[in-house]
Amino acid sequence: MRRYVALFLLFTSVRNASTSVTHYSISEEMKEGSVVANLATDLGLDITTLTKRKMRVDIIANKKYLDVNKETGELYVLEKIDREHICTTKSSSSCYLRLEVTLDNPVRIFNIEVEIVDMNDNAPQFRRDVIHLDISEATQKGERFSLSNAVDRDVGTNALKTYHLSESEYFSIEVQSGREGSKFADLILKKTLDREKQAVHNLVLTAVDGGTPARSGTASVIVRVLDTNDNAPMFDKAGLTVTMLENSPIGSLVINLNATDLDEGSNSDISYSYSLYTSEKTQETFNLNPTTGEITVKGMLNYEDFNIYDMEVIAIDKGINSLSGQCTIKILVEDMNDNHPEISIKSFQSPVSENIELDTVIAVVSVSDKDSGDNGQVDLHIPENMPFKLRESSDNYYELVVSEPLDREKVPEYEITFTVTDRGSPPLSDNETMTLELLDVNDNVPQFSQSFYTIRVMENNAPGSFLSSLTAFDPDLHENQYLVYFIIEKEIANTSMSMLFSINPENGNLYALKTFDYEIEKEFLFHIEARDSGSPPLSSNVTVHIIVVDQNDNAPVIVSPWRAHGSVVEEKIPRSTDKGSLVAKVIALDTDSVHNSRITYQFLQVTDASLFSLDQYNGEIRTMRMFSYKDSRHLRLVVVAKDNGEPALSATVTIKLLTVETDVKAYSDMTEMPLEYDIFSDINLYLVIGLASVSFLLLITILVTIVLKCQKPKHSKTAPPSRNSVISERNSTIADSTLVSNDAYWYSLFLAETRKGKLVVRQPVPKGSRYIVSSIPRGTGLSETSDSAASTLQV
């Protein structure tokens, strides 16, 4: 370094004897301690002289950079020299440090100038690292824009020389020289800007000096393209189709429109509105948010009223010269199954006759549904099990026709329910009910509740007595139902039924016109006719069987033993009579029937209850033991015969018995003997007892045979004579062996058991008497309807 400084000083030092100014040149890159020059040598002074003359060195300016070694006289660098710091102005390219050296004895002053030679130690530097420019995109090309210049503290060739701009298709620079050699650059627009393509251009401006090597500085140039309203708002699509369900709730979102404007600021602020081509109904149904472009449901959507909405929405920016864009929107309302199908009865014929012909049209029905698709497809049907069917006549029209015969009497009217159902999911339905009335036709004959009426009437009824109501039923209506009743005339014994009975022609009440007597008339058989008032009239008849019911109006009449009115029957009986011997048989007759004529016998009074027994059913009085000497010779028996009526009627007979020691007159050759008053008065009881003893075994055999025959009756019109049987002169008989007749005389059979066998006795009955003879004991169990053979009375 010293060698370099020495050489530099050698060539740069200039002596100016006249001015006493010594010039030195040093580089600002010299380091601390570097010797600039030896003043003693340069001033022609030796060291000894300097010591003696007391050299003083005064640094006039910037004394901190240079100093003189007073012992050696060397000028050296005290601190690193910065030329740009020492010479702050660039008005002159020269920069000096001035020193003044003074010697005493004699005084001598030396002026020294040290020129600081510039070196390229400073790069160009911009006042701002970032340069912002706002350029409208409407600026025409060729337009200039001033840029901040760079500053280089170096001078001369080391100073700022030129500028460079980073590559750009839109910009270039032009370097200009100013006064005092300053350099600055203008930014030139080569191509029209488009903010929407590139809103910001980032450029780099480089300032380069002339040093070797050259040094440079950079600044960022940020060009922001100012927007102009040169872009209209644009929708994503020019046409949109949106589907909405009908009945969508108010406020439901339809679509969120999104229009964009490539501009910025107010030029890109968009407001939405309906155009004039949008109908009022659409604007009333849908709400358009002017700020967000959101379209929502404003009114009720009903597919059946309106199913397509067309609207045009305009998007307008807020630039000074506003621009706009359009979008058409088609809103399709999608059908929901929200409408019930409807039924319309176009015609309905009611009432109709019950004999209406098959396939006759009763009603015409139309169906409809405001929905569409499957929601609008409908099916019509009626309840099952009805005599009607539906027949489709044309589109959505149906005919109701008769498919089966109608019968008003079975079903007078029909509730016909038409049900229509659509094919939606879930399906909806509606129904309509009509009442079909049937008109009556006289197609039913009157009907009695029974095919045969058996009416029982008690004898001795009052004339005009009500017997029964023979009401018939006719299921038809009105005059077809109004019935008239008649007695079909029939004569019995020259007597017309109309003389005996009367029927109310309006209500069928049957009355008896006379008093009936069971003992004379027991039953009547005739027919009643019921005729309706239809045209032609229909009728039916029924058989009426009138049965006269017996009353207990006849008291029993004792016919055996017979006695005059008020007299007492007297009998004789041997005292030797055996136990169980037949003493007497009481027979009573009752002209009533059945139970009213059934007689039972009881002792009313008896002298000795231990001596006699009375069979309550056949009236036989028998001995219960042998007579003893203690027994009275005169015995008195009072027998009462009581019928089974309610209340019961009765008759009594008094029998006086006289026990005798003599034999009874033999009756071996006598089979019949008429009795006047006392049937036992002349009979030899002893003979009877003897005969009975001889023929006892034979009697047992005969009785068994008779019993067996009675148990096996023959099915013939006339039964053979048997024990305990009766017959009239006219041979009239009735069931269960009970006989009724008007004969002048009745004959009763009296069987007397004697030792000789059976004795048949005939007894006359007073003229004009009428009796019912019941010869069957109560114990046989036969009733009114018994199938036993008829009994006869032997004469």
Side-chain angles (χ1 to χ4, degrees):
M1 178 62 68
R2 291 182 178 181
R3 182 180 300 174
Y4 173 77
V5 172
L7 290 175
F8 179 78
L9 292 175
L10 178 64
F11 290 101
T12 59
S13 296
V14 178
R15 289 174 181 248
N16 191 347
S18 58
T19 59
S20 297
V21 176
T22 303
H23 293 276
Y24 296 98
S25 294
I26 63 173
S27 174
E28 64 177 334
E29 65 179 357
M30 292 184 68
K31 296 182 179 179
E32 296 178 4
S34 299
V35 177
V36 176
N38 192 318
L39 295 180
T41 301
D42 293 340
L43 295 178
L45 300 175
D46 57 26
I47 298 301
T48 303
T49 303
L50 291 175
T51 303
K52 291 180 179 182
R53 295 181 69 176
K54 296 180 182 180
M55 179 185 292
R56 296 193 304 276
V57 179
D58 294 325
I59 304 301
I60 299 174
N62 296 312
K63 59 180 63 177
K64 69 177 182 177
Y65 292 105
L66 297 174
D67 198 3
V68 177
N69 188 330
K70 295 181 180 181
E71 294 180 355
T72 63
E74 292 178 339
L75 181 66
Y76 64 92
V77 177
L78 182 63
E79 183 177 332
K80 182 175 176 21
I81 300 172
D82 185 359
R83 179 182 181 280
E84 289 74 28
H85 181 73
I86 296 172
C87 301
T88 58
T89 64
K90 297 184 66 177
S91 58
S92 174
S93 60
S94 299
C95 180
Y96 297 94
L97 289 176
R98 291 178 173 83
L99 296 82
E100 190 176 74
V101 178
T102 303
L103 293 177
D104 292 336
N105 298 315
V107 175
R108 190 177 176 182
I109 298 174
F110 299 94
N111 292 317
I112 299 172
E113 290 181 347
V114 179
E115 183 181 4
I116 300 174
V117 180
D118 181 55
M119 63 176 295
N120 195 18
D121 60 345
N122 289 283
Q125 186 175 11
F126 290 92
R127 293 185 178 89
R128 291 179 296 175
D129 293 335
V130 179
I131 302 172
H132 291 280
L133 289 177
D134 291 335
I135 303 175
S136 173
E137 62 178 334
T139 303
Q140 300 296 319
K141 67 179 182 178
E143 191 74 23
R144 289 172 175 269
F145 303 94
S146 296
L147 298 175
S148 298
N149 60 325
V151 175
D152 194 335
R153 299 174 64 186
D154 294 326
V155 294
T157 58
N158 294 329
L160 177 63
K161 181 179 180 181
T162 189
Y163 294 92
H164 299 289
L165 184 66
S166 60
E167 186 176 354
S168 173
E169 65 174 311
Y170 290 97
F171 298 97
S172 63
I173 60 171
E174 186 177 301
V175 179
Q176 302 289 335
S177 298
R179 290 178 296 177
E180 298 179 354
S182 61
K183 303 288 186 179
F184 59 90
D186 288 338
L187 187 66
I188 300 174
L189 182 64
K190 297 191 302 181
K191 183 179 179 180
T192 304
L193 298 175
D194 188 345
R195 192 203 65 80
E196 288 70 40
K197 289 184 178 180
Q198 187 172 350
V200 177
H201 297 265
N202 293 308
L203 306 174
V204 177
L205 181 63
T206 303
V208 182
D209 60 19
T212 303
R215 304 189 72 171
S216 64
T218 61
S220 295
V221 180
I222 299 176
V223 178
R224 188 179 66 175
V225 182
L226 297 180
D227 182 56
T228 59
N229 195 21
D230 58 345
N231 289 280
M234 293 184 64
F235 290 91
D236 295 338
K237 293 182 179 180
L240 296 172
T241 301
V242 182
T243 300
M244 287 293 293
L245 284 175
E246 66 172 329
N247 301 326
S248 294
I250 303 298
S252 299
L253 178 65
V254 178
I255 190 174
N256 197 349
L257 295 177
N258 183 26
T260 58
D261 194 322
L262 298 178
D263 297 323
E264 66 176 0
S266 61
N267 296 330
S268 65
D269 290 342
I270 298 174
S271 63
Y272 299 88
S273 61
Y274 288 119
S275 73
L276 297 176
Y277 298 103
T278 304
S279 66
E280 291 185 4
K281 181 173 181 56
T282 300
Q283 296 186 42
E284 291 173 354
T285 307
F286 299 96
N287 181 66
L288 173 62
N289 189 312
T291 303
T292 64
E294 186 179 78
I295 298 177
T296 56
V297 177
K298 182 180 180 181
M300 289 300 298
L301 298 180
N302 191 344
Y303 175 88
E304 291 69 37
D305 293 340
F306 218 77
N307 52 36
I308 298 178
Y309 294 87
D310 291 306
M311 62 178 67
E312 184 180 62
V313 176
I314 299 176
I316 304 175
D317 62 31
K318 297 181 180 179
I320 296 176
N321 297 316
S322 60
L323 301 176
S324 63
Q326 295 80 29
C327 176
T328 58
I329 302 160
K330 185 183 292 295
I331 299 177
L332 303 178
V333 180
E334 189 175 36
D335 182 47
M336 290 180 63
N337 195 22
D338 61 338
N339 288 280
H340 287 263
E342 296 179 353
I343 299 176
S344 178
I345 308 297
K346 299 301 181 182
S347 67
F348 189 83
Q349 181 182 356
S350 178
V352 297
S353 178
E354 63 177 321
N355 63 348
I356 189 172
E357 295 183 0
L358 297 182
D359 215 35
T360 301
V361 177
I362 299 297
V364 177
V365 181
S366 69
V367 293
S368 62
D369 194 319
K370 292 181 180 180
D371 295 321
S372 64
D374 288 343
N375 296 332
Q377 296 294 317
V378 297
D379 299 304
L380 181 68
H381 54 275
I382 58 175
E384 297 180 356
N385 303 322
M386 297 191 75
F388 309 100
K389 66 180 180 180
L390 287 170
R391 182 173 63 195
E392 189 170 3
S393 60
S394 60
D395 187 24
N396 291 334
Y397 276 83
Y398 295 84
E399 294 177 342
L400 181 70
V401 298
V402 180
S403 59
E404 298 176 12
L406 305 180
D407 188 346
R408 190 207 63 80
E409 286 71 39
K410 291 182 179 179
V411 183
E413 65 180 23
Y414 291 91
E415 294 290 332
I416 303 175
T417 300
F418 297 94
T419 302
V420 60
T421 305
D422 62 27
R423 299 177 186 174
S425 180
L428 299 178
S429 62
D430 193 14
N431 57 70
E432 185 78 24
T433 300
M434 306 296 291
T435 301
L436 176 65
E437 297 180 6
L438 299 184
L439 294 176
D440 183 55
V441 175
N442 193 24
D443 56 350
N444 291 278
V445 298
Q447 299 174 0
F448 288 93
S449 59
Q450 300 174 215
S451 60
F452 188 91
Y453 285 90
T454 298
I455 302 173
R456 299 180 182 276
V457 55
M458 192 68 66
E459 66 171 330
N460 303 318
N461 60 292
S465 298
F466 172 76
L467 300 181
S468 179
S469 181
L470 306 179
T471 305
F473 172 72
D474 193 323
D476 294 324
L477 290 179
H478 308 307
E479 65 275 359
N480 299 328
Q481 187 187 41
Y482 298 148
L483 303 181
V484 180
Y485 300 88
F486 305 93
I487 295 178
I488 298 178
E489 289 298 334
K490 177 181 179 182
E491 290 189 359
I492 299 179
N494 297 324
T495 301
S496 171
M497 286 295 106
S498 298
M499 301 295 293
L500 302 176
F501 303 97
S502 172
I503 190 168
N504 188 319
E506 294 182 356
N507 56 28
N509 289 344
L510 184 66
Y511 300 90
L513 297 181
K514 60 168 288 187
T515 301
F516 298 116
D517 188 345
Y518 174 83
E519 286 69 34
I520 299 176
E521 301 153 321
K522 295 180 176 56
E523 63 180 8
F524 304 92
L525 195 67
F526 56 94
H527 298 284
I528 297 294
E529 177 181 314
R531 182 185 304 162
D532 63 28
S533 302
S535 180
L538 301 177
S539 63
S540 63
N541 58 68
V542 66
T543 301
V544 180
H545 183 203
I546 304 294
I547 297 177
V548 180
V549 179
D550 179 51
Q551 277 189 329
N552 193 23
D553 56 348
N554 292 284
V557 175
I558 296 177
V559 297
S560 177
W562 187 89
R563 78 271 189 264
H565 182 69
S567 62
V568 178
V569 177
E570 295 181 356
E571 298 284 353
K572 291 180 180 181
I573 183 171
R575 292 185 67 85
S576 61
T577 301
D578 292 334
K579 174 184 177 181
S581 298
L582 181 65
V583 176
K585 182 178 179 69
V586 178
I587 299 177
L589 299 178
D590 194 322
T591 56
D592 293 322
S593 67
V594 198
H595 60 278
N596 291 329
S597 65
R598 289 175 183 171
I599 308 298
T600 57
Y601 303 91
Q602 294 177 345
F603 280 129
L604 190 60
Q605 293 180 4
V606 60
T607 303
D608 188 346
S610 66
L611 186 58
F612 301 101
S613 67
L614 173 61
D615 190 308
Q616 63 175 339
Y617 298 113
N618 59 24
E620 292 180 348
I621 301 174
R622 294 180 182 273
T623 57
M624 295 176 63
R625 59 180 173 81
M626 295 288 290
F627 288 97
S628 67
Y629 68 93
K630 294 180 181 181
D631 293 327
S632 174
R633 294 180 59 86
H634 297 277
L635 301 172
R636 187 173 183 270
L637 304 175
V638 180
V639 178
V640 60
K642 183 186 297 183
D643 62 22
N644 197 37
E646 185 63 37
L649 302 178
S650 62
T652 60
V653 60
T654 301
I655 303 174
K656 288 184 178 181
L657 293 179
L658 175 64
T659 59
V660 295
E661 298 295 338
T662 59
D663 292 334
V664 180
K665 185 179 180 180
Y667 291 95
S668 60
D669 60 345
M670 185 174 72
T671 59
E672 288 186 17
M673 183 184 74
L675 301 177
E676 294 297 334
Y677 296 101
D678 190 350
I679 63 175
F680 285 105
S681 59
D682 297 325
I683 298 176
N684 190 335
L685 293 179
Y686 293 100
L687 179 60
V688 174
I689 295 172
L691 291 174
S693 298
V694 174
S695 60
F696 177 75
L697 293 176
L698 180 61
L699 179 61
I700 296 298
T701 303
I702 294 174
L703 289 176
V704 171
T705 303
I706 293 174
V707 170
L708 292 176
K709 288 185 178 181
C710 290
Q711 291 178 349
K712 297 180 180 179
K714 294 182 180 180
H715 298 283
S716 60
K717 294 183 179 180
T718 306
S722 61
R723 182 183 178 184
N724 296 335
S725 63
V726 295
I727 186 170
S728 70
E729 293 180 355
R730 296 182 180 178
N731 294 325
S732 59
T733 63
I734 64 172
D736 77 355
S737 304
T738 302
L739 179 146
V740 178
S741 177
N742 288 322
D743 292 341
Y745 292 93
W746 279 81
Y747 296 91
S748 64
L749 177 64
F750 177 80
L751 297 180
E753 292 184 4
T754 65
R755 290 186 178 92
K756 293 182 179 181
K758 299 179 183 179
L759 178 64
V760 178
V761 181
R762 175 179 294 170
Q763 176 179 327
V765 178
K767 259 188 178 183
S769 299
R770 296 172 51 249
Y771 302 98
I772 296 177
V773 179
S774 177
S775 61
I776 298 178
R778 177 66 64 90
T780 60
L782 296 177
S783 63
E784 295 179 48
T785 58
S786 173
D787 292 332
S788 61
S791 300
T792 59
L793 178 65
Q794 293 181 348
V795 181

